[in-house]
Amino acid sequence: EAQVTQNPRYLITVTGKKLTVTCSQNMNHEYMSWYRQDPGLGLRQIYYSMNVEVTDKGDVPEGYKVSRKEKRNFPLILESPSPNQTSLYFCASSSGGRNYTFGSGTRLTVV
Amino acid sequence: QKEVEQNSGPLSVPEGAIASLNCTYSDRGSQSFFWYRQYSGKSPELIMFIYSNGDKEDGRFTAQLNKASQYVSLLIRDSQPSDSATYLCAVIAGGSNYKLTFGKGTLLTVNP
């Protein structure tokens, strides 16, 4: 089944404790992206990757890092999480800007 | 900042009626237009995409695009309670490296 898999689905952590949210796709898509969704603000892009070893900032990159060492994986790293990073996070992948597929989401709470 | 605007709603329609959802975008060079449905706490699900001016129909859904007016809409015919969700308009702007920019969504409620 073609899908984007995110883990974990839910995470509660403390301020400053490094964490990684994983994202993996099995569709051989070259394009992958991370979004966060907050009430009243909609979905905002954090980082994106056009292909292996090619990443760039989206609209709200502060406090996040990404890497793209393999085509299928695009982890999101929060090196020192803060409460304002409490949000619902989605990973998405696409081939050529079409057929965007979203993961199931990760609900992160930073206390 | 390239923007996508939607009426936040809520939009309430009776079962069986036509629901009309609207979206405007700021970048005249935008190329691709998408409608997603999102249930609360779930991931966005693609309903329709449209690239050319005019109408595109798929079952009960019709997307309409007017590039001159920078306007895209979604019509849902014979609305069902299961259509109750937030509908997200998304746009890929010209030269944007495939970036999907989303509107904030319109909450649709279909009343039985």
Side-chain angles (χ1 to χ4, degrees):
Chain A
E1 179 188 355
Q3 60 185 359
V4 176
T5 302
Q6 288 180 234
N7 280 295
R9 290 292 310 278
Y10 302 92
L11 179 60
I12 301 174
T13 190
V14 296
T15 299
K17 185 177 181 181
K18 181 179 179 179
L19 67 91
T20 299
V21 183
T22 63
C23 174
S24 179
Q25 51 95 4
N26 62 0
M27 296 164 282
N28 201 37
H29 285 169
E30 72 280 3
Y31 180 89
M32 298 185 74
S33 180
W34 277 103
Y35 287 85
R36 61 178 289 175
Q37 187 172 34
D38 303 287
L41 297 177
L43 279 155
R44 295 177 294 167
Q45 189 183 56
I46 303 170
Y47 267 95
Y48 66 94
S49 170
M50 297 292 287
N51 215 322
V52 175
E53 302 293 1
V54 181
T55 64
D56 207 348
K57 297 176 181 178
D59 298 319
V60 288
E62 294 78 20
Y64 303 95
K65 285 177 57 177
V66 293
S67 68
R68 188 91 181 273
K69 294 184 172 59
E70 306 167 280
K71 197 171 186 179
R72 63 183 292 123
N73 295 324
F74 190 44
L76 180 69
I77 303 158
L78 286 73
E79 298 225 327
S80 184
S82 62
N84 65 12
Q85 291 178 298
T86 292
S87 187
L88 179 58
Y89 291 86
F90 290 104
C91 180
S93 72
S94 168
S95 176
R98 299 169 187 248
N99 299 327
Y100 282 82
T101 302
F102 283 79
S104 298
T106 295
R107 188 168 293 280
L108 172 66
T109 302
V110 183
V111 298
Chain B
Q1 179 81 352
K2 295 167 183 174
E3 296 183 347
V4 178
E5 301 284 345
Q6 294 181 253
N7 187 327
S8 63
L11 173 65
S12 183
V13 301
E15 183 174 356
I18 296 175
S20 177
L21 302 156
N22 304 315
C23 173
T24 59
Y25 57 94
S26 63
D27 182 14
R28 188 169 287 279
S30 296
Q31 302 169 346
S32 308
F33 308 86
F34 302 82
W35 282 101
Y36 284 84
R37 177 175 62 198
Q38 187 178 29
Y39 296 109
S40 181
K42 303 296 186 183
S43 60
E45 171 193 9
L46 181 66
I47 300 174
M48 296 280 289
F49 61 88
I50 186 167
Y51 305 128
S52 304
N53 273 332
D55 295 359
K56 180 180 178 182
E57 186 174 320
D58 184 0
R60 295 186 297 112
F61 299 98
T62 299
Q64 300 174 316
L65 174 61
N66 184 327
K67 289 188 176 180
S69 299
Q70 296 176 235
Y71 175 94
V72 58
S73 65
L74 179 70
L75 300 177
I76 307 174
R77 289 181 299 281
D78 188 22
S79 295
Q80 301 297 309
S82 58
D83 294 327
S84 298
T86 296
Y87 288 80
L88 303 170
C89 175
V91 173
I92 296 180
S96 66
N97 294 330
Y98 304 153
K99 176 185 175 183
L100 263 182
T101 298
F102 284 87
K104 294 179 181 177
T106 298
L107 177 62
L108 171 67
T109 301
V110 180
N111 301 304

